[in-house]
Amino acid sequence: MSEHRGTLGIAQGTALYIASVLGTGILVLPGLAAQVAGPASILSVAIIFVLSIPLAGTFAALAARYPDSGGVASYVRKSMGNTWARVAGYLFYFGVAAGEPVVAVMGAEYVVAITGADRSLLPVVAGVLFLVPFTLNLFGVKVAGWVQLGLSALLVVVVVGVIAYGAPAVHETSFQPFMPHGWVGVGVAISLFVWAFAGWEVGTHIAAEFKNPRKTIPIATGIALVIVGTAYLALQWVTIGVLGEDAGKGSVPLLTLVNETAPKAGSIIIASIAAIVSLGVLNAYLAAIGKLGASLGRDGDLPRYLAKGAEPDEVPRRSLMLSLGISIIFFGILFAQDFQLLSLIPIHLSSMVAIYVLGMTAAVLIFPRWSWDWWVAVVALAMTIVLLILNGPNVLFTVGVAIIAVIVTLVKRRLAKKAAIAA
């Protein structure tokens, strides 16, 4: 692992965690979950929140002990070898790239809805929302961290404001029947909310950028966990209680909720800030992806040309440029499908869940057996395996990435063998 000389503090770290976990989920997930599970979607939020506690705790423990830009891939390499490390690294670097255009489009939907602009401008707005944080990250994680502090503060203000205005308008009748789609609907909503609580692994890639990671990372994780869990539970309750059966309708449910409860309170401002939230999420994820790509180049899993920027305080511009190209491809896929987000969300979710399983497996193998950290990792591993089963139909991308990782291993072994013979 590289020698530590990071600069991020607790405030910046907490802001990055809040953005990567809470993020754009508040824009669409309360409505989507209500559509598939009805009022029982609140139960889904509670379940996934409980799941996130051991998951977030384990990632925090790993990042605090082993700060390296490789993140989960580095832990997997340490415990399971290079091939599985490639699987973890490729899933994040290429699978998360599928989620970036989704985030940009989510924010763009709000901007278009606010301005009443023609929907043909959606790709232009989404492109701007992506390129701003991308450009910001070209100046380094330290700059991105300070900007993130402001963006996350705006995010918390939005959520608190929406809940405060909506709570008095909640109707008890909106929660009946509580489980119209049964436990199947609850399960589907849980799989959707993986998107909402995905992001704890982001901190592992920028762990080396923190001051005193053993102290800073656990504190930042704990603060973010409380804020995110409380926000999602309260927001889901208000969304169901105010909108009832209409909670799952429309592409901008947060804007609908505000217009129902406080039409004079500045719904345009609130929705605009919600669009800015997209900048925050992309800012956090691009910081992680850039560092990961550089570490994969450093470790020989991607071309070594990308290795520049893997060390603390270095800027991984080459890795960021490659990630830009990957995102453009996924933007093209969305464009061809009239920006139907569900065409890419499963790729992102299945990649995240597979990364979680690999990360928790690595933690179980790394932590001293029977220790507190080991038991927490065991619980997290069991829970993530259940999530992997729930995402069963969406594993084709994950399987494809694993096959590519195996092929890379076989090719590297063959080349090494030829080099040894030639020598």
Side-chain angles (χ1 to χ4, degrees), residues 150-329:
L151 292 173
S152 291
L154 288 175
L155 173 58
V156 172
V157 169
V158 170
V159 176
V160 171
V162 170
I163 294 170
Y165 275 109
V170 170
H171 302 287
E172 292 185 6
T173 55
S174 299
F175 299 94
Q176 300 297 329
F178 183 72
M179 200 176 289
H181 304 291
W183 283 103
V184 173
V186 173
V188 175
I190 288 174
S191 67
L192 287 173
F193 267 105
V194 172
W195 174 282
F197 285 89
W200 299 112
E201 77 291 341
V202 170
T204 66
H205 298 287
I206 57 175
E209 305 295 329
F210 282 89
K211 301 174 184 175
N212 190 6
R214 278 186 175 268
K215 176 183 178 181
T216 304
I217 291 177
I219 293 175
T221 300
I223 295 173
L225 184 62
V226 172
I227 293 175
V228 170
T230 302
Y232 267 120
L233 280 169
L235 188 58
Q236 195 67 28
W237 171 71
V238 169
T239 300
I240 296 292
V242 174
L243 300 180
E245 294 181 355
D246 294 331
K249 299 178 181 179
S251 58
V252 286
L254 181 61
L255 181 59
T256 303
L257 178 62
V258 173
N259 284 334
E260 284 285 333
T261 57
K264 296 181 180 180
S267 61
I268 292 179
I269 296 176
I270 293 177
S272 298
I273 294 176
I276 293 174
V277 166
S278 299
L279 299 175
V281 176
L282 288 168
N283 187 40
Y285 268 92
L286 283 167
I289 288 174
K291 283 293 183 180
L292 172 62
S295 75
L296 292 175
R298 177 198 65 194
D299 297 330
D301 300 322
L302 288 177
R304 294 195 181 276
Y305 174 79
L306 299 174
K308 185 176 177 57
E311 300 304 313
D313 294 332
E314 291 184 355
V315 182
R317 294 188 179 92
R318 295 174 181 176
S319 173
L320 285 169
M321 293 305 297
L322 177 58
S323 73
L324 173 62
I326 296 168
S327 295
I328 289 174
I329 292 173

Side-chain angles (χ1 to χ4, degrees), residues 81-101:
N82 290 333
T83 300
W84 285 111
R86 290 187 186 103
V87 174
Y90 292 170
L91 281 173
F92 195 94
Y93 195 72
F94 299 102
V96 171
E100 291 173 344

Side-chain angles (χ1 to χ4, degrees), residues 1 17 54-68 71-76 78-79 200-201 203-205 207-208 213-214 217-218 221 355-368 373-374 377 380:
M1 302 291 174
Y17 274 116
L55 186 68
T58 301
F59 275 132
L62 285 169
R65 294 184 184 187
Y66 309 105
D68 182 78
V72 176
S74 292
Y75 314 142
V76 173
K78 180 181 179 67
S79 59
W200 299 112
E201 77 291 341
T204 66
H205 298 287
R214 278 186 175 268
I217 291 177
T221 300
I355 290 169
Y356 291 163
V357 171
L358 289 171
M360 295 306 98
T361 301
V364 170
L365 295 173
I366 290 173
F367 292 151
D373 287 338
W374 184 85

Side-chain angles (χ1 to χ4, degrees), residues 48 51 184 186-196 198 342 344-357 383-399:
I48 202 71
L51 167 64
V184 173
V186 173
V188 175
I190 288 174
S191 67
L192 287 173
F193 267 105
V194 172
W195 174 282
L342 287 178
L344 290 186
I345 286 179
I347 293 176
H348 178 86
L349 292 182
S350 63
S351 298
M352 287 293 94
V353 173
I355 290 169
Y356 291 163
V357 171
M383 291 180 172
T384 53
I385 289 175
V386 173
L387 285 179
L388 187 65
I389 294 172
L390 288 174
N391 278 274
N394 302 320
V395 299
L396 289 179
F397 180 83
T398 301
V399 172

